[in-house]
Amino acid sequence: MGSDSKLAQANERPAHKVRVHGYWMDEHHMSHAECLKFVAATGYVTTAEKKPDWDTLRVQLPPNAKRCTRSIARASMRVAATAMPGHVASAR
């Protein structure tokens, strides 16, 4: 677990072995519909849905990495869409 990379955050160093004992993720299955109902009732927002924080992200990138702008992201999506035959992607 962890990393010895110079790009790793301080709390990820050093790489080391760990032992994880068995555990339950949850006692019950949850359907997608139940999840949507939970989100609607609580306003829960996953980490993936939150706007990324540049200061947190940049420590994981190579030195001198430039911040991605919306126009760069859209252009990247257009390139990716043309490289995926059979898939339709929209970058509006």
Side-chain angles (χ1 to χ4, degrees):
M1 176 176 244
S3 175
D4 290 320
S5 168
K6 66 180 181 177
L7 299 177
Q9 295 191 36
N11 65 352
E12 297 173 320
R13 285 180 252 154
H16 57 283
K17 290 184 180 186
V18 297
R19 182 180 187 132
V20 179
H21 299 282
Y23 61 92
W24 289 98
M25 297 271 310
D26 200 331
E27 187 174 339
H28 305 283
H29 294 285
M30 177 184 276
S31 70
H32 184 68
E34 291 169 321
C35 182
L36 292 176
K37 185 176 177 181
F38 168 77
V39 170
T42 64
Y44 180 77
V45 178
T46 66
T47 301
E49 296 170 299
K50 294 177 183 174
K51 182 178 179 180
D53 175 56
W54 174 248
D55 290 330
T56 301
L57 290 176
R58 70 180 175 154
V59 299
Q60 301 174 42
L61 299 172
N64 302 319
K66 295 191 190 266
R67 187 174 184 163
C68 183
T69 64
R70 195 171 277 194
S71 61
I72 291 172
R74 285 184 183 145
S76 297
M77 289 172 64
R78 282 192 292 274
V79 169
T82 60
M84 297 184 299
H87 291 78
V88 178
S90 175
R92 295 181 192 190

